Amino acid sequence: MNDKELVAIQAARHVKDDMTVGLGTGSTANYFIKELARRHREEGLRITAASSSVASALQATEQGLPLVALEHLGRIDLYVDGADEVTPRMALLKGRGYDLVREKLLARNSDMFIVLIDKSKLVSRLGEKFPIPAEVMPFAWQMVKASLEGLGASVSLRQNAAKDGWAITSHGSLVLDLEFKQHLDSSELNQLLNNVPGIVEHGVFNDLASAVFVADNGKVEEIWKN
Ligand code: 5RP
């Protein structure tokens, strides 16, 4: 069993009967979906799932998990997802899967948000290893780019996987990838990106995680927020 699978199985132990569970997106979240589906099938675990992307909805339905659309939900019990970077204060960088609106909605409106990573994702500040993604209204991208460049960022419009067009989120946004020349902490980044008109959502998840489960060579450490 690899570290991603290990940490996902540990998170699935926190799911109880009658919970509504938000499903994250990415390879670690897929292991969580798989384990949740196994518990549902083999142990009769009663849950309702809500997906953070088209990709996680497909995984869930293929494996027989009952899904409810986000528009029917006011709050959920638990959200479990991966992340690209995590700081010592549990700020997260997310968004390589780029469905940030749904991911942040689930993170913000869950009673508990568990983040699953391996040790390689621990960083001292956000943006250390990956650019910071921002979903933008398609007609606004040039203005958003210019605003962010004025605030010290280098900005590139994300290409799709085939590199023959632009990446488009499931509800039609474009994605900008940002690298800031100056070092900003996660709350400064969060505030700065929240204040740029035309940005629909961004990959800085500040003060949202309840716990980070870190896998390291076959062992899992659970770090809970005080
Ligand atoms: C998707 C995400 C993912 O959770 C993040 O990219 C981690 O992915 P993986 O589990 O495949 O390493 O934020 O938007």
Side-chain angles (χ1 to χ4, degrees), residues 163-184:
K163 307 249 181 266
D164 58 0
W166 306 120
I168 313 275
T169 68
S170 61
H171 52 90
S173 304
L174 292 169
V175 182
L176 297 177
D177 284 312
L178 322 174
E179 287 179 53
F180 284 89
K181 291 173 194 91
Q182 68 276 42
H183 287 189
L184 298 166

Side-chain angles (χ1 to χ4, degrees), residues 3-137:
D3 274 356
K4 289 189 177 194
E5 192 167 6
L6 190 71
V7 81
I9 289 173
Q10 176 123 343
R13 294 198 184 108
H14 289 263
V15 181
K16 310 271 180 279
D17 273 334
D18 301 319
M19 277 186 163
T20 302
V21 183
L23 307 175
T25 303
S27 55
T28 318
N30 283 347
Y31 282 119
F32 174 75
I33 296 170
K34 187 172 155 215
E35 174 62 6
L36 204 57
R38 187 201 64 74
R39 290 198 58 203
H40 176 64
R41 201 171 50 243
E42 292 177 11
E43 299 173 11
L45 179 72
R46 290 189 310 271
I47 55 138
T48 306
S51 70
S52 64
S53 65
V54 176
S56 70
L58 281 172
Q59 290 283 330
T61 37
E62 271 170 17
Q63 296 182 55
L65 283 175
L67 268 183
V68 63
L70 290 200
E71 51 263 50
H72 302 302
L73 297 169
R75 252 194 108 65
I76 63 169
D77 297 296
L78 171 67
Y79 177 43
V80 178
D81 201 352
D84 298 316
E85 295 181 346
V86 178
T87 71
R89 295 182 143 209
M90 286 194 194
L92 320 173
L93 183 69
K94 290 187 49 55
R96 265 191 313 154
Y98 59 70
D99 243 330
L100 289 165
V101 173
R102 288 209 246 181
E103 289 191 359
K104 203 173 280 185
L105 264 174
L106 289 171
R108 166 70 71 193
N109 295 293
S110 60
D111 291 345
M112 195 192 293
F113 174 25
I114 299 178
V115 181
L116 310 180
I117 57 166
D118 61 39
K119 210 176 162 204
S120 69
K121 309 271 183 83
L122 294 172
V123 295
S124 54
R125 62 176 179 86
L126 298 186
E128 202 171 283
K129 295 187 174 169
F130 290 100
I132 295 162
E135 279 192 49
V136 295
M137 300 296 284

